[in-house]
Amino acid sequence: MIKINDLQNWIIDYITDTIHNLECDNKEFNEWARSFERDEADFVVGMDLWELEEDIEGKTEFSEEEAVELAHPFIQKIVDHWYL
């Protein structure tokens, strides 16, 4: 179980690790994914963490599965804008 106090860092680490492991036929994307930095994930999560308030309200612990579900919209947003 992931404590609420650890959730943001867990999500940031999960996003960073996931993006590092992404690969496709686009060489530029692959280079970007390998060089993706934790600070970039931290920035996106920090900007949009308020979007999670409804999903985390009142909870003090999360299963890894729940945390992964919370992380996916951030990953999608980052990947959708990787070229910026």
Side-chain angles (χ1 to χ4, degrees):
M1 296 298 282
I2 302 161
K3 303 273 186 209
I4 187 75
N5 295 343
D6 300 324
L7 183 62
Q8 184 172 351
N9 280 324
W10 189 95
I11 288 173
I12 292 166
D13 290 338
Y14 179 81
I15 291 169
T16 304
D17 292 343
T18 299
I19 290 176
H20 283 167
N21 290 313
L22 294 176
E23 193 169 321
C24 69
D25 293 336
N26 184 319
K27 181 182 174 184
E28 292 166 346
F29 176 86
N30 295 337
E31 289 174 10
W32 168 81
R34 284 190 297 275
S35 67
F36 184 80
E37 295 187 19
R38 186 182 191 283
D39 289 346
E40 295 172 88
D42 187 16
F43 178 77
V44 172
V45 172
M47 282 185 46
D48 294 333
L49 191 60
W50 61 270
E51 291 180 5
L52 296 180
E53 286 181 12
E54 209 173 277
D55 296 326
I56 63 176
E57 188 174 325
K59 294 188 80 170
T60 59
E61 291 185 334
F62 297 83
S63 68
E64 191 168 309
E65 183 177 287
E66 290 172 315
V68 167
E69 287 180 30
L70 293 172
H72 279 181
F74 293 112
I75 293 170
Q76 189 64 54
K77 180 180 283 189
I78 292 166
V79 170
D80 285 349
H81 298 95
W82 72 270
Y83 48 84
L84 296 177

Coordinates of all heavy atoms in Angstrom, one line a residue:
M1 N 0.8 -1.2 0.0 CA 0.0 0.0 0.0 C 0.9 1.3 0.0 O 1.9 1.3 0.6 CB -0.9 0.0 1.2 CG -1.9 -1.1 1.3 SD -3.1 -1.1 -0.1 CE -4.2 0.1 0.4
I2 N 0.4 2.3 -0.7 CA 1.1 3.5 -0.8 C 0.4 4.6 0.1 O -0.8 4.8 -0.2 CB 1.2 4.0 -2.3 CG1 1.9 2.9 -3.1 CG2 1.9 5.3 -2.4 CD1 1.6 3.0 -4.6
K3 N 1.1 5.1 1.0 CA 0.5 6.1 1.9 C 0.3 7.4 1.1 O 1.0 7.8 0.2 CB 1.4 6.4 3.0 CG 1.8 5.2 3.9 CD 0.7 5.0 4.9 CE 1.2 3.9 5.8 NZ 0.1 3.2 6.4
I4 N -0.8 8.2 1.5 CA -1.1 9.4 0.8 C 0.1 10.4 0.8 O 0.3 11.1 -0.2 CB -2.3 10.1 1.5 CG1 -2.8 11.3 0.7 CG2 -2.0 10.6 2.9 CD1 -3.5 11.0 -0.6
N5 N 0.9 10.4 1.8 CA 2.1 11.3 1.8 C 3.1 10.9 0.8 O 4.0 11.7 0.4 CB 2.7 11.3 3.2 CG 1.8 11.9 4.3 OD1 0.9 12.6 3.9 ND2 2.1 11.6 5.5
D6 N 3.1 9.6 0.4 CA 4.1 9.1 -0.6 C 3.5 9.1 -2.0 O 4.3 8.8 -3.0 CB 4.6 7.7 -0.2 CG 5.2 7.7 1.2 OD1 5.9 8.7 1.5 OD2 5.0 6.7 1.9
L7 N 2.3 9.3 -2.2 CA 1.6 9.1 -3.5 C 2.2 10.0 -4.6 O 2.5 9.5 -5.7 CB 0.1 9.4 -3.3 CG -0.7 9.1 -4.6 CD1 -0.6 7.7 -5.0 CD2 -2.2 9.5 -4.4
Q8 N 2.4 11.2 -4.4 CA 2.9 12.1 -5.4 C 4.3 11.6 -5.9 O 4.5 11.5 -7.1 CB 2.9 13.6 -5.0 CG 3.4 14.5 -6.1 CD 3.3 16.0 -5.7 OE1 2.7 16.3 -4.7 NE2 3.8 16.8 -6.6
N9 N 5.2 11.3 -5.0 CA 6.5 10.9 -5.4 C 6.4 9.5 -6.1 O 7.1 9.3 -7.0 CB 7.4 10.8 -4.2 CG 8.0 12.1 -3.8 OD1 8.3 12.9 -4.7 ND2 8.2 12.4 -2.5
W10 N 5.5 8.6 -5.6 CA 5.4 7.4 -6.3 C 4.9 7.5 -7.7 O 5.4 6.9 -8.6 CB 4.4 6.5 -5.5 CG 4.3 5.1 -6.0 CD1 5.0 4.0 -5.5 CD2 3.6 4.6 -7.1 NE1 4.7 2.9 -6.3 CE2 3.9 3.2 -7.3 CE3 2.7 5.2 -8.0 CZ2 3.3 2.4 -8.3 CZ3 2.1 4.4 -9.0 CH2 2.4 3.0 -9.1
I11 N 3.9 8.4 -7.9 CA 3.4 8.7 -9.3 C 4.5 9.3 -10.1 O 4.6 8.9 -11.3 CB 2.2 9.6 -9.2 CG1 1.0 8.8 -8.6 CG2 1.8 10.2 -10.6 CD1 -0.3 9.7 -8.4
I12 N 5.2 10.2 -9.6 CA 6.3 10.8 -10.4 C 7.4 9.8 -10.8 O 7.8 9.7 -12.0 CB 7.0 12.0 -9.6 CG1 6.0 13.1 -9.5 CG2 8.3 12.4 -10.3 CD1 6.3 14.2 -8.5
D13 N 7.8 8.9 -9.9 CA 8.7 7.9 -10.2 C 8.2 6.9 -11.2 O 8.8 6.5 -12.2 CB 9.1 7.1 -8.9 CG 10.0 7.9 -8.0 OD1 10.6 8.9 -8.5 OD2 10.1 7.6 -6.8
Y14 N 6.9 6.5 -11.1 CA 6.2 5.6 -12.0 C 6.2 6.2 -13.4 O 6.5 5.5 -14.4 CB 4.8 5.2 -11.5 CG 4.1 4.3 -12.4 CD1 4.3 2.9 -12.4 CD2 3.2 4.8 -13.4 CE1 3.7 2.1 -13.2 CE2 2.5 3.9 -14.2 CZ 2.8 2.6 -14.1 OH 2.1 1.7 -15.0
I15 N 5.8 7.4 -13.5 CA 5.8 8.1 -14.8 C 7.2 8.1 -15.5 O 7.3 7.7 -16.6 CB 5.3 9.6 -14.7 CG1 3.8 9.6 -14.3 CG2 5.5 10.4 -15.9 CD1 3.2 10.9 -13.9
T16 N 8.2 8.5 -14.7 CA 9.5 8.6 -15.2 C 10.0 7.2 -15.7 O 10.5 7.1 -16.8 CB 10.5 9.1 -14.2 OG1 10.0 10.4 -13.7 CG2 11.9 9.3 -14.7
D17 N 9.8 6.2 -14.9 CA 10.2 4.8 -15.3 C 9.5 4.3 -16.5 O 10.0 3.7 -17.4 CB 10.0 3.8 -14.1 CG 11.0 4.1 -13.0 OD1 12.0 4.8 -13.1 OD2 10.7 3.6 -11.9
T18 N 8.2 4.6 -16.5 CA 7.3 4.1 -17.7 C 7.8 4.8 -19.0 O 7.9 4.1 -20.0 CB 5.8 4.4 -17.4 OG1 5.5 3.7 -16.2 CG2 5.0 4.0 -18.6
I19 N 8.0 6.1 -18.9 CA 8.4 6.8 -20.2 C 9.8 6.3 -20.6 O 10.0 6.2 -21.8 CB 8.3 8.3 -20.0 CG1 6.8 8.7 -19.9 CG2 9.0 9.1 -21.1 CD1 6.5 10.2 -19.6
H20 N 10.7 6.1 -19.7 CA 12.0 5.6 -20.1 C 11.9 4.3 -20.8 O 12.8 4.0 -21.6 CB 12.9 5.4 -18.8 CG 13.4 6.7 -18.3 ND1 14.0 6.8 -17.1 CD2 13.5 8.0 -18.8 CE1 14.4 8.0 -16.8 NE2 14.1 8.8 -17.9
N21 N 10.9 3.5 -20.5 CA 10.8 2.2 -21.1 C 9.9 2.2 -22.4 O 9.7 1.1 -23.0 CB 10.2 1.2 -20.1 CG 11.2 0.9 -19.1 OD1 12.4 0.6 -19.3 ND2 10.8 0.9 -17.8
L22 N 9.4 3.3 -22.8 CA 8.6 3.4 -24.0 C 9.5 3.3 -25.2 O 10.6 3.9 -25.2 CB 7.8 4.7 -24.1 CG 6.7 4.8 -23.0 CD1 6.0 6.2 -23.2 CD2 5.6 3.8 -23.2
E23 N 9.0 2.7 -26.3 CA 9.8 2.6 -27.5 C 8.8 2.4 -28.7 O 7.8 1.7 -28.6 CB 10.7 1.5 -27.4 CG 11.8 1.5 -28.6 CD 12.9 0.5 -28.3 OE1 13.3 0.3 -27.2 OE2 13.3 -0.1 -29.3
C24 N 9.1 3.1 -29.8 CA 8.3 2.9 -31.0 C 9.2 3.0 -32.2 O 10.4 3.1 -32.1 CB 7.2 4.0 -31.0 SG 7.8 5.7 -31.3
D25 N 8.7 3.2 -33.4 CA 9.4 3.2 -34.6 C 10.0 4.6 -34.9 O 10.8 4.8 -35.8 CB 8.6 2.9 -35.8 CG 8.2 1.4 -35.8 OD1 8.9 0.6 -35.2 OD2 7.1 1.1 -36.4
N26 N 9.7 5.6 -34.0 CA 10.2 6.9 -34.2 C 11.4 7.1 -33.4 O 11.4 7.2 -32.2 CB 9.1 7.9 -33.8 CG 9.4 9.4 -34.0 OD1 10.6 9.8 -33.8 ND2 8.5 10.1 -34.4
K27 N 12.5 7.3 -34.1 CA 13.8 7.4 -33.4 C 13.9 8.7 -32.5 O 14.4 8.6 -31.4 CB 15.0 7.5 -34.5 CG 16.3 7.7 -33.9 CD 17.4 7.8 -35.0 CE 18.7 8.1 -34.4 NZ 19.8 8.3 -35.4
E28 N 13.3 9.8 -32.9 CA 13.3 11.0 -32.1 C 12.5 10.8 -30.8 O 12.9 11.2 -29.7 CB 12.8 12.2 -32.9 CG 13.7 12.6 -34.0 CD 13.0 13.5 -35.0 OE1 11.8 13.6 -35.0 OE2 13.8 14.1 -35.8
F29 N 11.4 10.1 -30.9 CA 10.6 9.8 -29.7 C 11.4 8.9 -28.8 O 11.4 9.2 -27.6 CB 9.3 9.1 -30.1 CG 8.5 8.7 -28.9 CD1 7.6 9.6 -28.3 CD2 8.6 7.4 -28.3 CE1 6.9 9.2 -27.2 CE2 7.9 7.1 -27.2 CZ 7.0 8.0 -26.6
N30 N 12.0 7.9 -29.3 CA 12.8 7.0 -28.4 C 13.9 7.8 -27.7 O 14.2 7.5 -26.5 CB 13.4 5.9 -29.3 CG 12.3 5.0 -29.8 OD1 11.2 4.9 -29.3 ND2 12.6 4.2 -30.9
E31 N 14.6 8.7 -28.4 CA 15.6 9.5 -27.8 C 15.0 10.4 -26.7 O 15.6 10.5 -25.6 CB 16.4 10.3 -28.8 CG 17.2 9.5 -29.7 CD 17.9 10.3 -30.8 OE1 17.8 11.6 -30.8 OE2 18.4 9.7 -31.8
W32 N 13.9 11.0 -27.0 CA 13.2 11.8 -26.0 C 12.8 11.0 -24.8 O 13.1 11.4 -23.6 CB 12.0 12.4 -26.6 CG 11.1 13.1 -25.6 CD1 11.2 14.3 -25.0 CD2 10.0 12.4 -24.9 NE1 10.3 14.5 -24.0 CE2 9.5 13.4 -24.0 CE3 9.3 11.2 -25.1 CZ2 8.3 13.1 -23.2 CZ3 8.2 10.9 -24.3 CH2 7.7 11.9 -23.4
A33 N 12.3 9.8 -25.0 CA 11.8 8.9 -23.9 C 13.0 8.5 -23.0 O 12.9 8.6 -21.8 CB 11.1 7.7 -24.4
R34 N 14.1 8.2 -23.6 CA 15.3 7.8 -22.8 C 15.8 8.9 -22.0 O 16.4 8.7 -20.9 CB 16.3 7.2 -23.7 CG 16.0 5.7 -24.1 CD 17.2 5.1 -24.8 NE 17.6 5.7 -26.1 CZ 17.0 5.5 -27.3 NH1 16.1 4.6 -27.4 NH2 17.5 6.2 -28.3
S35 N 15.7 10.1 -22.5 CA 16.3 11.3 -21.8 C 15.3 12.0 -20.9 O 15.6 13.0 -20.3 CB 16.9 12.3 -22.9 OG 15.8 12.9 -23.6
F36 N 14.1 11.5 -20.8 CA 13.0 12.1 -20.0 C 13.5 12.2 -18.6 O 14.0 11.2 -18.0 CB 11.7 11.3 -20.1 CG 10.6 11.9 -19.4 CD1 9.9 13.0 -20.0 CD2 10.2 11.5 -18.1 CE1 8.8 13.6 -19.3 CE2 9.1 12.0 -17.5 CZ 8.4 13.1 -18.0
E37 N 13.3 13.4 -18.0 CA 13.8 13.5 -16.6 C 12.7 13.6 -15.6 O 11.6 14.0 -15.9 CB 14.6 14.8 -16.5 CG 15.9 14.8 -17.4 CD 16.8 16.0 -17.2 OE1 16.7 16.7 -16.2 OE2 17.6 16.2 -18.1
R38 N 13.0 13.1 -14.4 CA 12.0 13.1 -13.3 C 11.5 14.5 -13.0 O 10.3 14.6 -12.7 CB 12.7 12.5 -12.0 CG 11.8 12.3 -10.9 CD 12.5 11.8 -9.6 NE 11.5 11.4 -8.6 CZ 10.8 12.2 -7.8 NH1 11.0 13.5 -7.9 NH2 10.0 11.7 -6.9
D39 N 12.3 15.5 -13.2 CA 11.8 16.9 -13.0 C 10.7 17.2 -13.9 O 9.8 18.0 -13.5 CB 12.9 17.9 -13.1 CG 14.0 17.8 -12.0 OD1 13.7 17.2 -11.0 OD2 15.1 18.4 -12.2
E40 N 10.7 16.7 -15.1 CA 9.6 17.0 -16.1 C 8.3 16.3 -15.6 O 7.2 17.0 -15.7 CB 10.0 16.4 -17.4 CG 11.2 17.2 -18.0 CD 11.6 16.5 -19.3 OE1 11.1 16.9 -20.4 OE2 12.5 15.6 -19.2
A41 N 8.4 15.1 -15.1 CA 7.2 14.5 -14.5 C 6.7 15.2 -13.3 O 5.5 15.4 -13.1 CB 7.5 13.0 -14.2
D42 N 7.6 15.6 -12.5 CA 7.3 16.4 -11.2 C 6.5 17.7 -11.6 O 5.6 18.0 -11.0 CB 8.6 16.7 -10.5 CG 8.3 17.3 -9.1 OD1 7.2 17.2 -8.6 OD2 9.3 17.9 -8.6
F43 N 7.0 18.4 -12.6 CA 6.4 19.6 -13.1 C 4.9 19.3 -13.5 O 4.0 20.0 -13.1 CB 7.2 20.2 -14.2 CG 6.5 21.5 -14.8 CD1 6.7 22.7 -14.1 CD2 5.8 21.4 -16.0 CE1 6.1 23.8 -14.6 CE2 5.3 22.6 -16.5 CZ 5.4 23.8 -15.8
V44 N 4.7 18.3 -14.3 CA 3.3 18.0 -14.8 C 2.4 17.6 -13.7 O 1.3 18.1 -13.6 CB 3.4 17.0 -15.9 CG1 2.0 16.5 -16.3 CG2 4.1 17.5 -17.2
V45 N 2.9 16.7 -12.8 CA 2.1 16.3 -11.7 C 1.8 17.4 -10.8 O 0.7 17.6 -10.3 CB 2.8 15.1 -11.0 CG1 2.0 14.8 -9.7 CG2 2.9 13.9 -11.9
G46 N 2.8 18.3 -10.5 CA 2.6 19.4 -9.7 C 1.5 20.4 -10.2 O 0.7 21.0 -9.4
M47 N 1.5 20.6 -11.5 CA 0.6 21.5 -12.1 C -0.8 21.0 -12.1 O -1.8 21.7 -12.0 CB 1.0 21.7 -13.6 CG 2.1 22.7 -13.8 SD 2.4 23.1 -15.5 CE 0.8 23.4 -16.2
D48 N -1.0 19.7 -12.2 CA -2.3 19.1 -12.4 C -2.7 18.2 -11.3 O -3.7 17.5 -11.4 CB -2.4 18.3 -13.7 CG -2.3 19.2 -14.9 OD1 -2.6 20.4 -14.8 OD2 -1.8 18.7 -16.0
L49 N -2.0 18.2 -10.2 CA -2.4 17.3 -9.0 C -3.8 17.6 -8.5 O -4.5 16.7 -8.1 CB -1.4 17.5 -7.9 CG -1.5 16.5 -6.8 CD1 -1.2 15.1 -7.3 CD2 -0.5 16.8 -5.7
W50 N -4.2 18.8 -8.6 CA -5.6 19.2 -8.2 C -6.6 18.4 -8.9 O -7.7 18.1 -8.4 CB -5.8 20.7 -8.4 CG -5.7 21.1 -9.8 CD1 -4.6 21.5 -10.5 CD2 -6.8 21.1 -10.8 NE1 -4.9 21.8 -11.8 CE2 -6.3 21.6 -12.0 CE3 -8.1 20.8 -10.7 CZ2 -7.0 21.7 -13.2 CZ3 -8.9 20.9 -11.9 CH2 -8.3 21.4 -13.1
E51 N -6.3 17.9 -10.1 CA -7.3 17.1 -10.9 C -7.5 15.7 -10.1 O -8.5 15.1 -10.4 CB -6.8 16.8 -12.3 CG -6.8 18.0 -13.2 CD -6.3 17.7 -14.6 OE1 -6.0 16.6 -14.9 OE2 -6.2 18.7 -15.3
L52 N -6.6 15.3 -9.3 CA -6.7 14.0 -8.6 C -7.5 14.2 -7.3 O -7.9 13.2 -6.7 CB -5.4 13.5 -8.2 CG -4.4 13.1 -9.4 CD1 -3.1 12.5 -8.8 CD2 -5.1 12.0 -10.3
E53 N -7.8 15.4 -6.9 CA -8.4 15.6 -5.6 C -9.7 14.8 -5.4 O -9.9 14.2 -4.4 CB -8.7 17.1 -5.3 CG -7.5 17.8 -5.0 CD -7.7 19.3 -4.7 OE1 -8.9 19.7 -4.5 OE2 -6.8 20.1 -4.7
E54 N -10.5 14.7 -6.4 CA -11.7 13.9 -6.4 C -11.5 12.4 -6.2 O -12.2 11.8 -5.5 CB -12.5 14.2 -7.7 CG -14.0 14.1 -7.5 CD -14.7 14.5 -8.8 OE1 -14.9 15.7 -9.0 OE2 -15.1 13.6 -9.6
D55 N -10.4 11.9 -6.9 CA -10.1 10.5 -6.8 C -9.4 10.1 -5.5 O -9.5 9.0 -5.1 CB -9.1 10.1 -7.9 CG -9.8 10.3 -9.3 OD1 -11.0 10.1 -9.4 OD2 -9.1 10.7 -10.2
I56 N -8.8 11.1 -4.8 CA -8.0 10.8 -3.6 C -8.7 11.3 -2.3 O -8.3 10.9 -1.2 CB -6.6 11.3 -3.6 CG1 -6.5 12.8 -3.7 CG2 -5.8 10.6 -4.8 CD1 -5.1 13.3 -3.7
E57 N -9.8 12.0 -2.4 CA -10.4 12.6 -1.3 C -10.8 11.6 -0.2 O -11.5 10.6 -0.6 CB -11.7 13.4 -1.7 CG -12.3 14.2 -0.6 CD -13.4 15.1 -1.2 OE1 -13.3 15.6 -2.3 OE2 -14.4 15.2 -0.4
G58 N -10.3 11.8 1.0 CA -10.7 10.9 2.1 C -9.9 9.7 2.2 O -10.0 8.9 3.2
K59 N -9.1 9.3 1.2 CA -8.3 8.1 1.3 C -6.9 8.4 1.9 O -6.4 9.5 1.8 CB -8.1 7.5 -0.1 CG -9.4 7.1 -0.8 CD -9.1 6.3 -2.0 CE -8.7 4.9 -1.7 NZ -8.6 4.0 -2.8
T60 N -6.4 7.4 2.6 CA -5.1 7.6 3.2 C -4.1 6.6 2.7 O -2.9 6.8 2.9 CB -5.2 7.4 4.8 OG1 -5.7 6.1 5.0 CG2 -6.1 8.4 5.4
E61 N -4.5 5.6 2.0 CA -3.7 4.6 1.4 C -4.2 4.2 0.0 O -5.4 4.2 -0.2 CB -3.5 3.3 2.2 CG -2.8 3.5 3.5 CD -2.6 2.2 4.3 OE1 -3.4 1.3 4.1 OE2 -1.6 2.1 5.0
F62 N -3.3 3.8 -0.9 CA -3.7 3.3 -2.2 C -3.0 2.1 -2.6 O -1.8 1.9 -2.2 CB -3.3 4.4 -3.2 CG -4.0 5.7 -3.0 CD1 -3.6 6.6 -2.1 CD2 -5.2 6.0 -3.7 CE1 -4.2 7.8 -1.8 CE2 -5.8 7.2 -3.5 CZ -5.4 8.1 -2.6
S63 N -3.6 1.2 -3.2 CA -3.0 0.0 -3.8 C -2.1 0.5 -4.9 O -2.3 1.5 -5.5 CB -4.0 -1.0 -4.2 OG -4.7 -0.6 -5.4
E64 N -1.2 -0.4 -5.3 CA -0.3 0.0 -6.5 C -1.2 0.1 -7.7 O -1.0 1.0 -8.6 CB 0.7 -1.1 -6.7 CG 1.8 -0.7 -7.7 CD 3.0 -1.6 -7.7 OE1 3.6 -1.8 -6.7 OE2 3.4 -2.0 -8.9
E65 N -2.2 -0.8 -7.9 CA -3.1 -0.7 -9.0 C -3.9 0.7 -9.1 O -4.0 1.3 -10.1 CB -4.1 -1.8 -8.9 CG -5.1 -1.9 -10.1 CD -6.0 -3.1 -10.0 OE1 -5.6 -4.2 -10.2 OE2 -7.2 -2.8 -9.8
E66 N -4.3 1.1 -7.9 CA -5.0 2.4 -7.9 C -4.0 3.6 -8.2 O -4.4 4.5 -9.0 CB -5.5 2.7 -6.5 CG -6.7 1.8 -6.1 CD -7.1 2.0 -4.6 OE1 -6.2 2.0 -3.8 OE2 -8.3 2.1 -4.4
A67 N -2.8 3.5 -7.8 CA -1.8 4.5 -8.0 C -1.5 4.5 -9.5 O -1.3 5.6 -10.1 CB -0.6 4.3 -7.2
V68 N -1.4 3.4 -10.1 CA -1.1 3.3 -11.6 C -2.2 3.9 -12.4 O -2.0 4.7 -13.3 CB -0.9 1.8 -12.0 CG1 -1.0 1.7 -13.5 CG2 0.4 1.2 -11.5
E69 N -3.5 3.7 -12.0 CA -4.6 4.3 -12.6 C -4.6 5.8 -12.5 O -4.9 6.6 -13.4 CB -5.9 3.8 -12.0 CG -6.2 2.4 -12.5 CD -7.5 1.9 -11.9 OE1 -8.5 2.7 -11.6 OE2 -7.7 0.7 -11.7
L70 N -4.1 6.3 -11.3 CA -4.0 7.8 -11.2 C -2.9 8.4 -12.0 O -2.9 9.5 -12.5 CB -3.7 8.1 -9.7 CG -4.8 7.8 -8.7 CD1 -4.4 8.0 -7.3 CD2 -6.0 8.7 -9.0
A71 N -1.8 7.6 -12.3 CA -0.7 8.0 -13.1 C -0.9 8.1 -14.6 O -0.4 8.9 -15.3 CB 0.5 7.1 -12.8
H72 N -1.8 7.2 -15.1 CA -2.0 7.1 -16.5 C -2.4 8.4 -17.2 O -1.9 8.7 -18.3 CB -3.0 6.0 -16.8 CG -2.3 4.6 -16.8 ND1 -3.0 3.5 -17.0 CD2 -1.0 4.3 -16.5 CE1 -2.1 2.4 -16.9 NE2 -1.0 2.9 -16.6
P73 N -3.3 9.2 -16.7 CA -3.7 10.4 -17.4 C -2.4 11.4 -17.5 O -2.3 12.1 -18.5 CB -4.7 11.1 -16.5 CG -5.3 10.0 -15.7 CD -4.2 9.0 -15.5
F74 N -1.6 11.4 -16.5 CA -0.4 12.2 -16.6 C 0.6 11.7 -17.7 O 1.1 12.4 -18.5 CB 0.4 12.2 -15.3 CG -0.3 12.9 -14.2 CD1 -0.8 12.2 -13.1 CD2 -0.6 14.3 -14.2 CE1 -1.5 12.8 -12.1 CE2 -1.2 14.9 -13.2 CZ -1.7 14.2 -12.1
I75 N 0.7 10.4 -17.8 CA 1.6 9.7 -18.8 C 1.0 10.1 -20.2 O 1.8 10.5 -21.1 CB 1.7 8.2 -18.6 CG1 2.5 7.9 -17.3 CG2 2.3 7.6 -19.8 CD1 2.4 6.4 -16.9
Q76 N -0.3 10.0 -20.3 CA -0.9 10.3 -21.6 C -0.7 11.7 -22.0 O -0.4 12.0 -23.2 CB -2.4 10.0 -21.6 CG -3.1 10.0 -22.9 CD -2.6 9.0 -23.9 OE1 -2.6 7.8 -23.6 NE2 -2.1 9.4 -25.0
K77 N -0.9 12.6 -21.1 CA -0.7 14.0 -21.3 C 0.8 14.3 -21.8 O 1.0 15.0 -22.7 CB -1.0 14.9 -20.1 CG -0.8 16.4 -20.3 CD -1.1 17.1 -19.1 CE -2.6 17.2 -19.0 NZ -3.1 18.1 -17.9
I78 N 1.7 13.7 -21.1 CA 3.2 13.9 -21.4 C 3.5 13.3 -22.8 O 4.1 14.0 -23.6 CB 4.0 13.3 -20.3 CG1 3.9 14.1 -19.0 CG2 5.5 13.2 -20.8 CD1 4.5 13.4 -17.8
V79 N 3.0 12.1 -23.1 CA 3.3 11.5 -24.3 C 2.6 12.2 -25.5 O 3.2 12.4 -26.6 CB 2.9 10.0 -24.3 CG1 3.0 9.4 -25.7 CG2 3.8 9.2 -23.3
D80 N 1.4 12.7 -25.3 CA 0.7 13.5 -26.3 C 1.5 14.7 -26.7 O 1.3 15.2 -27.8 CB -0.7 13.8 -25.8 CG -1.6 12.7 -25.9 OD1 -1.3 11.6 -26.4 OD2 -2.7 12.8 -25.3
H81 N 2.3 15.3 -25.8 CA 3.0 16.5 -26.0 C 4.5 16.4 -26.0 O 5.2 17.3 -25.8 CB 2.6 17.6 -25.0 CG 1.1 17.9 -25.1 ND1 0.2 17.3 -24.3 CD2 0.5 18.7 -25.9 CE1 -1.0 17.7 -24.7 NE2 -0.9 18.6 -25.6
W82 N 5.0 15.2 -26.3 CA 6.5 14.9 -26.2 C 7.3 15.8 -27.1 O 8.5 16.1 -26.7 CB 6.8 13.4 -26.5 CG 6.6 13.1 -27.9 CD1 5.5 12.7 -28.6 CD2 7.7 13.1 -28.9 NE1 5.8 12.5 -29.9 CE2 7.1 12.7 -30.1 CE3 9.0 13.4 -28.9 CZ2 7.8 12.6 -31.3 CZ3 9.7 13.4 -30.0 CH2 9.2 13.0 -31.3
Y83 N 6.8 16.2 -28.2 CA 7.6 17.0 -29.1 C 7.7 18.4 -28.8 O 8.4 19.2 -29.5 CB 7.0 16.8 -30.5 CG 5.5 17.0 -30.5 CD1 5.0 18.3 -30.6 CD2 4.6 15.9 -30.4 CE1 3.6 18.5 -30.6 CE2 3.3 16.1 -30.4 CZ 2.8 17.4 -30.5 OH 1.4 17.6 -30.4
L84 N 7.0 18.9 -27.8 CA 7.0 20.3 -27.5 C 8.3 20.7 -26.8 O 8.9 20.0 -26.1 CB 5.8 20.7 -26.6 CG 4.5 20.5 -27.3 CD1 3.3 20.8 -26.3 CD2 4.3 21.4 -28.5

